Amino acid sequence: MALRTYYDLIASLPGLPPRHDVERPPISEVRLRERLQLLDMDDAAVVRQWMDFVHWDRQSLDHTDDDVARAYHRLQQEITNPTLWTLIERRLDTRTLVAALRRRRAGLSPPKGVGQWVEKIRRNYHHPEFQLQGRYPWIGRFDQLIGQGQALAAERMMFEYSYQQVGELQPADPFAFEAVLVYLSRWELIERWTSLDAVAGQQRFETMIKETLGEYTQLFAADPIPVE
Amino acid sequence: MDGLLIALGWVGLFAPTALGAIGSIIGCARAGQAACGAMLDLEGGYGRYVGLSALPSSQIIYGIVVMFSLQRTITVENAPGLFGIGVLAGLALMFSAMYQGACCASAINVSKRKPEIFGLSVAPAAIVEGFAVFAFIFALVLSGDIPPLPASGDMATPVTPLPTP
């Protein structure tokens, strides 16, 4: 893999805030796409893979477990950039963890899920944090918040964790292509967060419940969980 | 063997200029690209970024001065000295210019986001410049110890001298 540097592109991007919960992203999507034209063809293709994944990930309601598993294996074969794969795998790992927490709370079996923790979750399904507290210190608190019906607070915590975790992938060379991927990933988290408000948060939570529980969704129908 | 030594002498003589130029090209290009990128994101105040991006050009100047200080009639006796000092000084200048360019690019990138740290952000580039100056100065000092002319008529092999500038 060629290690390319993008002095012009990185310097043309406004700095990202230290936290995800800001009023709006520091650069609009249109402007960001314009700047990304400075990438060469190979790296632009990698960025396109990331954008396709994000687009797919946001349509999560339409996906069955089998769809997700198929997409995971397809991505695993298609993606050659290790940083991009790490970003995607972490996103899917988080998704599996959240699904497992919600299904356990609803008294259901472990989710099929994808990613590196599926087996460990299955083995430790009745451990409060699936024995993953070292790697994911937010699991316990997240579970607690979900139990209290504080969907937005839980989501905020997960975003915060994801935002910091993506930042850890920042390469030593701040102008390397991998820095562009890290920037895009963090920008997307900000953009996704800022597109949420209390109502949207409630809707998203319901979506996630549907996505996780499928036909058991009506379990919650009688007792809606208030948004803080 | 003598021919090879003489060739190495010529390499050493031109190395500071050539390697210094390569370093300056890369360094200025890196910092210049960052300055151009910053212009896309800023409404004004570009001048200091363009100025900063020229900082790695000093290495080619040092390289030229070292080349003139090494310039003499190349002989079998002085060729190894010319090669050693010239190539090593050239490498030091080349790497310092390349990495100084990266330092300047970083300074442009961070001070664009936080203008009040512009002065401080240039410090790493200045420190790198300091090392280039060390290499430059001591190359000049040592070049004085390289024999300018054959030590004795029967041992030395004088070859074509450089034209005097």
Side-chain angles (χ1 to χ4, degrees):
Chain A
M1 186 189 60
L3 290 171
R4 294 187 189 82
T5 48
Y6 290 98
Y7 290 91
D8 45 2
L9 173 58
I10 295 281
S12 75
L13 299 172
L16 291 176
R19 289 176 58 89
H20 70 284
D21 47 356
V22 290
E23 277 183 22
R24 59 174 185 275
I27 182 169
S28 69
E29 186 175 347
V30 175
R31 191 62 63 84
L32 183 59
R33 283 179 186 272
E34 273 175 20
R35 303 276 162 87
L36 290 175
Q37 288 172 1
L38 291 167
L39 290 169
D40 75 12
M41 280 174 64
D42 291 345
D43 292 335
V46 174
V47 166
R48 219 169 298 121
Q49 285 179 318
W50 166 249
M51 287 176 168
D52 289 346
F53 168 75
V54 168
H55 181 69
W56 173 86
D57 192 40
R58 284 190 173 196
Q59 296 172 327
S60 50
L61 185 60
D62 305 333
H63 303 139
T64 63
D65 284 352
D66 289 336
D67 287 341
V68 174
R70 262 197 303 275
Y72 181 80
H73 293 302
R74 181 178 51 79
L75 290 167
Q76 205 169 19
Q77 284 173 347
E78 284 176 2
I79 291 171
T80 52
N81 184 293
T83 305
L84 178 60
W85 178 246
T86 307
L87 288 169
I88 289 176
E89 198 177 34
R90 284 185 180 183
R91 179 74 69 91
L92 293 173
D93 284 344
T94 306
R95 184 191 174 110
T96 301
L97 276 170
V98 171
L101 288 168
R102 291 203 163 106
R103 286 181 68 90
R104 188 175 64 186
R105 196 160 273 284
L108 300 173
S109 58
K112 276 190 180 175
V114 290
Q116 55 184 322
W117 305 120
V118 172
E119 197 45 48
K120 187 156 187 178
I121 289 172
R122 198 164 294 151
R123 278 203 313 272
N124 302 289
Y125 196 52
H126 297 293
H127 184 280
E129 294 163 323
F130 310 124
Q131 299 276 24
L132 285 169
Q133 63 276 15
R135 187 73 182 252
Y136 300 96
W138 53 272
I139 296 179
R141 179 77 185 129
F142 183 87
D143 194 30
Q144 221 174 15
L145 289 168
I146 289 296
Q148 293 164 1
Q150 297 185 40
L152 202 60
E155 192 144 14
R156 177 190 292 271
M157 199 184 69
M158 199 175 66
F159 267 72
E160 188 179 335
Y161 168 78
S162 301
Y163 194 75
Q164 299 307 328
Q165 199 192 32
V166 169
E168 289 164 13
L169 292 176
Q170 182 70 30
D173 181 352
F175 298 98
F177 171 61
E178 278 61 32
V180 179
L181 288 177
V182 169
Y183 187 96
L184 289 177
S185 180
R186 296 186 100 183
W187 178 88
E188 195 268 334
L189 283 169
I190 294 176
E191 198 272 334
R192 201 142 53 100
W193 176 259
T194 51
S195 66
L196 295 174
D197 55 21
V199 177
Q202 177 70 39
Q203 280 170 352
R204 183 165 164 73
F205 180 68
E206 284 167 5
T207 299
M208 289 166 93
I209 289 289
K210 272 190 202 167
E211 170 193 331
T212 310
L213 302 182
E215 70 270 26
Y216 298 97
T217 313
Q218 64 271 21
L219 284 176
F220 289 93
D223 183 22
I225 297 167
V227 174
E228 63 171 10
Chain B
M1 186 62 188
D2 286 359
L4 178 65
L5 277 175
I6 299 302
L8 290 178
W10 279 103
V11 169
L13 185 58
F14 193 59
T17 300
L19 296 176
I22 292 168
S24 292
I25 289 164
I26 296 172
C28 288
R30 283 176 173 174
Q33 282 180 305
C36 291
M39 287 181 209
L40 280 175
D41 192 37
L42 296 172
E43 298 301 324
Y46 314 133
R48 61 183 180 173
Y49 297 134
V50 175
L52 185 58
S53 68
L55 202 59
S57 56
S58 56
Q59 279 81 350
I60 174 62
I61 299 166
Y62 300 153
I64 291 169
V65 175
V66 172
M67 181 188 73
F68 281 124
S69 76
L70 293 175
Q71 186 184 6
R72 67 207 60 215
T73 303
I74 298 176
T75 65
V76 171
E77 284 72 30
N78 66 18
L82 292 173
F83 178 78
I85 293 174
V87 168
L88 291 177
L91 286 173
L93 295 175
M94 182 178 77
F95 283 116
S96 70
M98 287 165 59
Y99 285 97
Q100 192 178 48
C103 289
C104 292
S106 292
I108 290 166
N109 195 29
V110 298
S111 61
K112 180 199 73 171
R113 296 168 190 189
K114 214 173 169 186
E116 66 272 21
I117 61 164
F118 179 75
L120 204 58
S121 68
V122 178
I127 292 168
V128 173
E129 180 79 19
F131 295 124
V133 170
F134 284 147
F136 166 60
I137 296 289
F138 289 101
L140 291 183
V141 170
L142 289 178
S143 68
D145 292 338
I146 298 175
L149 291 168
S152 64
D154 52 353
M155 293 294 290
T157 311
V159 293
T160 319
L162 269 179
T164 313

